[in-house]
Each structure stands twice: as C-alpha cells, then as structure tokens.
Amino acid sequence: MGAALGLCAGLACEAALPRLALAEETAQGLSREELLADYEARRLFLEENNNDLRLPALQARDRRGSIPNDKRPPARRTPERSLPPNPEATKGVIRRISIPSGEKVCALTFDMCELETSTSGFDTDMIIWLQDNNIPATLFMGGKWMRTHERRVREVLRDPLFEVGNHAWAHGNFGLLTPARMREEVLDTQCQYELLRARALKDAARSTVGGTLPIPEVLRFFRFPYGRCTPQALALLAEYGLEPVQWDVVAETGGNNASLARSRHVVSQVKPGSILLFHANMVPKGSFQLLRYVATALQRQGYRFATVGELLAMGTPERELEGYFEKPGDNADLDRRFGSEGTGRR
C-alpha cells in the first residue's frame, strides 16, 4: 500500500541558516488556552459569514495538467518571517495526538502537491464539501502547487476553517536530498506562502464579507513528501521552528477509493487524536467519495474534527523518528522512483 500511495503522492505532488525576522506573534508562543480561544473565534466568524467564503465549483483549470508547468523557483527565495527554533522537532514526526480527556476528536489532513516536472489538480469538490459541512481541516500544500493554483489558494487562505502547512516545494524526498536542497524545498514554500498571503490580504480588503480574521504570517507545520525523513531533515526543521506532522491513519489506496468497504476499514483505525491522510490534488481516484463516507461515519460515532494545531492544543504529540505509511520501512522503495530527488527529475 505504501508504494501505491507513494505513486499518488509523487504524481500529485551545509551553508549557515539565513538570519530571518521572527514573526511578532506565532502560535508557538501562545498558551493552549489562547490557542483554543483563537479556534473558537474562527468558528464564530464562520457562523456569522456562512458560505460567504465558499469556493466556486470545479473549473477546467482545476484539473490535472490543465495549467502549463513552470519549473522556476518562487519570485523570492528568502522568507521575511520565521518561527523560533523548535527543539521538539528533532525528537521525530508527530503521528497522532494523545487526548487526555478521551474526547472523540481527530484531524482530517490533505496533501496538495506536484512534482517539478508536471502540474497536478485541485479537487475543489472536497474543499467545498468541507466548507458546506463546516468541517475544519489542515491542508499541506507544496509551494510549486500553490503557485500553479494561486487564485484558489488565495481563496482558501481567507477561510479560517482551514489551516495550511508546508509540503515542500516540488515533493522532494527528504531521505535523499542534500541539506542545501532540503533548505530550498522548505524555504521556497515558505516564501510562496508569504507572497500569496500578501495577495490574499488585499483580496480580503476588497471583500464584502463582514469582518476579517488574521491570516497566519508563517507556516508552522511541515509534512515530509513520501513520509521520508532523516535525522538531518528533522534537525533542519527544528532550526526553522517547523513541526513535522505525519499521520496514523492512511485513508486512500492507490486504486479507486470510492468504496464503502474501504471507508469502513479507515473508520475502524481512527481513535481520539488520530491524524488522517487524504489527498486533494485529483490523483487517487474516488478520494472525494471516500472523504464523505469516512467523515459521515465518524460523525455518527460521535467524532468531531479539528485542525492539527487545535489537536496539539488539546493534548500531547506522539512521535516517531522514522516516517512511514502504515509500518516502518513501507516507503523505502520510493527512493528508487520519481527521479533522483523525488521531484520527477531524472
């Protein structure tokens, strides 16, 4: 299964560290109570502006390969803002959150990425369905993918229902990349986010939606492409203050996921504090149908959904040094696919 999902992810998606200005206010500097209050304020905002931020329906440009490929790096390659160092990141990737209260809450996460050699799509049906049902989610976006779907991303950034994370620039394999290339994959994505955030703020200023909520200055979560990481990669993320987040429940397979049997299997794996892995770049087949089946079944069992950030504010992260899909080593074969760096280049 790991190899099949790696295919989906691949198709989808020692110089000194630069001295960057620290963001004036970051989520890492807030108490859990302040974080939870922030999430509550966002929920109230959504209630007051019901559907005003809803994305337009699927369009031709949202489909795979419909937008010409652009291999150039972002317009700016040094971020203006950064986070303080995060020593906890060196202890491993977060696979789930231990919730002391035992509350039935979990996080839906979606990878949205593409390789250097091609463009992938944007499954707007999935995002619109989440909006229509007021279900929060964390979206791990590749920097190059953000640029391909700039207009859509600017719309998503304005919706406080969603939390955005860094999924590397062109889906580079952090089990293979040199430290210099790791930095490029991470920082180019941080820069692309800053560029689109600035444009999204201008969009918000022209909007008729009542009131505004701040868009985070900097991405604070990172997801390793292919689930591959090394101690060197973890150390680099720690320097940049990023929190590595994976999953404990793999939703999709490499085949057609529009299956009730598959949804029942996924639901059976979920427990309080689980982090579920989906894709929203139109690569695995049947992802939208699977999302509806799984989310509806979990709600019937009494679960509610939260972003990764909210889960962290509620409990304690469970970490592992090795990244994988369902069991250690199940992604090792991906090092021989998708080019010498995992970005599609040969």
Side-chain angles (χ1 to χ4, degrees):
M1 181 178 295
L5 281 169
L7 176 61
C8 294
L11 290 174
C13 30
E14 291 208 292
L17 298 174
R19 303 179 66 179
L20 307 175
L22 296 178
E24 294 179 359
E25 293 186 17
T26 68
Q28 289 182 330
L30 300 178
S31 69
R32 291 189 177 190
E33 291 75 15
E34 290 171 322
L35 272 171
L36 292 174
D38 177 68
Y39 285 112
E40 181 60 25
R42 292 173 184 275
R43 276 194 282 270
L44 290 174
F45 175 87
L46 288 166
E47 290 179 5
E48 294 171 358
N49 298 279
N50 186 35
N51 287 332
D52 287 337
L53 295 172
R54 188 178 188 272
L55 270 65
L58 182 70
Q59 299 175 4
R61 67 171 62 92
D62 299 319
R63 300 191 181 280
R64 287 180 59 192
S66 63
I67 297 178
N69 191 41
D70 183 354
K71 296 183 179 181
R72 295 174 301 169
R76 186 178 72 239
R77 305 196 74 180
T78 300
E80 294 180 346
R81 301 291 183 187
S82 71
L83 296 163
N86 175 27
E88 293 297 306
T90 61
K91 297 179 181 179
V93 297
I94 296 173
R95 290 199 67 86
R96 64 176 300 275
I97 309 298
S98 176
I99 307 295
S101 66
E103 179 185 353
K104 287 185 173 183
V105 55
C106 61
L108 301 176
T109 69
F110 299 81
D111 287 1
M112 307 160 88
C113 47
E114 63 189 24
L115 300 178
E116 180 182 317
T117 53
S118 60
T119 60
S120 65
F122 181 12
D123 197 334
T124 55
D125 287 343
M126 299 179 80
I127 304 304
I128 292 171
W129 188 84
L130 293 172
Q131 290 178 312
D132 288 346
N133 289 276
N134 199 28
I135 295 177
T138 300
L139 314 177
F140 287 95
M141 297 182 178
K144 180 172 172 284
W145 183 92
M146 286 189 206
R147 183 175 62 193
T148 297
H149 297 281
E150 173 178 341
R151 190 165 73 176
R152 290 294 203 183
V153 172
R154 285 159 55 181
E155 294 169 342
V156 169
L157 293 182
R158 294 177 53 211
D159 191 336
L161 194 65
F162 303 118
E163 173 180 69
V164 176
N166 185 324
H167 193 36
W169 176 256
H171 216 260
N173 186 327
F174 279 65
L176 303 174
L177 294 173
T178 65
R181 286 287 296 116
M182 289 182 195
R183 285 194 299 275
E184 290 178 352
E185 286 280 304
V186 172
L187 296 183
D188 284 357
T189 304
Q190 297 292 88
C191 287
Q192 188 63 43
Y193 172 79
E194 288 183 349
L195 292 168
L196 297 190
R197 174 184 179 271
R199 294 165 191 166
L201 290 173
K202 291 182 180 179
D203 295 340
R206 296 190 294 266
S207 173
T208 58
V209 174
T212 59
L213 283 178
I215 301 173
E217 291 183 323
V218 60
L219 301 179
R220 61 182 285 240
F221 297 115
F222 183 88
R223 173 160 285 168
F224 286 108
Y226 313 106
R228 290 285 284 116
C229 69
T230 61
Q232 292 81 5
L234 292 172
L236 182 140
L237 292 186
E239 291 288 343
Y240 287 127
L242 289 164
E243 188 72 88
V245 177
Q246 285 200 275
W247 54 80
D248 65 319
V249 178
V250 175
E252 299 142 322
T253 69
N256 191 336
N257 295 282
S259 162
L260 286 173
R262 180 62 193 172
S263 70
R264 286 192 289 267
H265 172 77
V266 173
V267 170
S268 72
Q269 305 301 305
V270 176
K271 53 188 174 181
S274 281
I275 300 173
L276 287 75
L277 168 66
F278 285 88
H279 290 75
N281 52 353
M282 304 193 78
V283 175
K285 294 181 179 179
S287 292
F288 176 37
Q289 292 89 337
L290 180 65
L291 169 64
R292 290 186 299 173
Y293 294 156
V294 168
T296 301
L298 286 172
Q299 287 177 323
R300 288 172 179 166
Q301 291 185 10
Y303 274 90
R304 74 172 181 89
F305 303 103
T307 62
V308 168
E310 185 177 4
L311 274 189
L312 275 170
M314 297 176 64
T316 304
E318 296 183 4
R319 300 177 184 269
E320 292 192 32
L321 286 173
E322 183 177 355
Y324 53 87
F325 285 100
E326 295 181 325
K327 60 182 180 180
D330 65 2
N331 55 355
D333 66 313
L334 300 178
D335 289 358
R336 298 186 295 272
R337 305 168 66 181
F338 308 113
S340 59
E341 295 183 335
T343 63
R345 289 191 298 180
R346 299 294 175 182

